[in-house]
Amino acid sequence: MTDDTVAAVVRQWQTVHPGLDTSPMELIGRINRCAALLQQAVSAPLRDAGLSRAEFDLLGALRRSGRDLTPSELARETFASGAAVTKRLRQLIERGLVERIADDRDRRVAHVRLTGRGRETIDTVLPAQLEFERAALAGLGEQQRDALGEQLAELLIQLEGRLGTLR
């Protein structure tokens, strides 16, 4: 067994419950631990731009979509709650990176778009952020990264298709 944080947890559980199948914990635990460590890592590019990862994700969603998005669409695109998106949008608006535009047909609906400053920010930060992420994965060889990417994509497709039935 690999000697990492999750392996230590698994050994503890096996001491308490010998024979317990901990294989799901071994996979899910490692995925969760990796995700938590990556989320906690404050990259220099984001820090220098004064952005949180969540704000970066919102700007990225607007930039890559190529169109205005509603807050609900942004929530779906970034896997965030509506309340979290509202809070982040308020901060991005105050900093002049995005703007809200009322819908012509329904004044209750707002659309969000990047400002010129927001577009410049995401276009500057994205290449630097990708380099930071590349460095974070530097311990894996190209074949390992490719294989892991394919396996995670397969898992994601399965979970996206079935997760609702597991609740």
Side-chain angles (χ1 to χ4, degrees):
M1 183 181 294
T2 305
D3 193 22
D4 60 16
T5 306
V6 173
V9 170
V10 167
R11 282 192 299 272
Q12 290 171 335
W13 276 117
Q14 288 174 343
T15 300
V16 174
H17 289 290
L20 185 67
D21 178 13
T22 58
S23 60
M25 180 185 300
E26 293 173 39
L27 293 174
I28 303 287
R30 286 187 175 100
I31 290 169
N32 285 339
R33 180 82 174 139
C34 287
L37 288 170
L38 290 169
Q39 289 296 321
Q40 289 173 9
V42 178
S43 74
L46 295 183
R47 185 178 53 246
D48 292 348
L51 294 172
S52 68
R53 178 65 198 216
E55 291 169 335
F56 171 77
D57 289 345
L58 285 175
L59 296 176
L62 287 165
R63 182 67 169 116
R64 73 176 185 268
S65 74
R67 64 181 181 87
D68 300 351
L69 297 173
T70 65
S72 295
E73 290 171 323
L74 282 167
R76 280 192 302 275
E77 285 289 321
T78 60
F79 307 106
S81 71
V85 167
T86 298
K87 178 182 175 186
R88 292 174 192 139
L89 286 177
R90 191 175 313 119
Q91 294 166 340
L92 293 171
I93 289 168
E94 288 173 5
R95 291 174 25 216
L97 300 175
V98 299
E99 59 186 352
R100 282 182 177 263
I101 312 314
D103 189 281
D104 292 335
R105 292 170 278 158
D106 185 347
R107 298 304 254 178
R108 296 171 296 176
V109 176
H111 297 272
V112 180
R113 76 169 54 138
L114 287 172
T115 62
R117 184 171 169 210
R119 181 182 306 266
E120 181 181 318
T121 297
I122 191 66
D123 286 351
T124 300
V125 173
L126 179 61
Q129 180 63 23
L130 288 172
E131 189 55 41
F132 173 84
E133 292 174 6
R134 189 173 290 106
L137 299 173
L140 299 175
E142 184 178 351
Q143 289 180 335
Q144 290 174 306
R145 286 191 311 271
D146 291 347
L148 181 58
E150 288 176 19
Q151 291 169 337
L152 289 173
E154 187 174 317
L155 176 62
L156 182 58
I157 288 167
Q158 289 179 28
L159 291 175
E160 287 176 337
R162 292 189 335 221
L163 195 56
T165 63
L166 297 176
R167 290 183 178 163

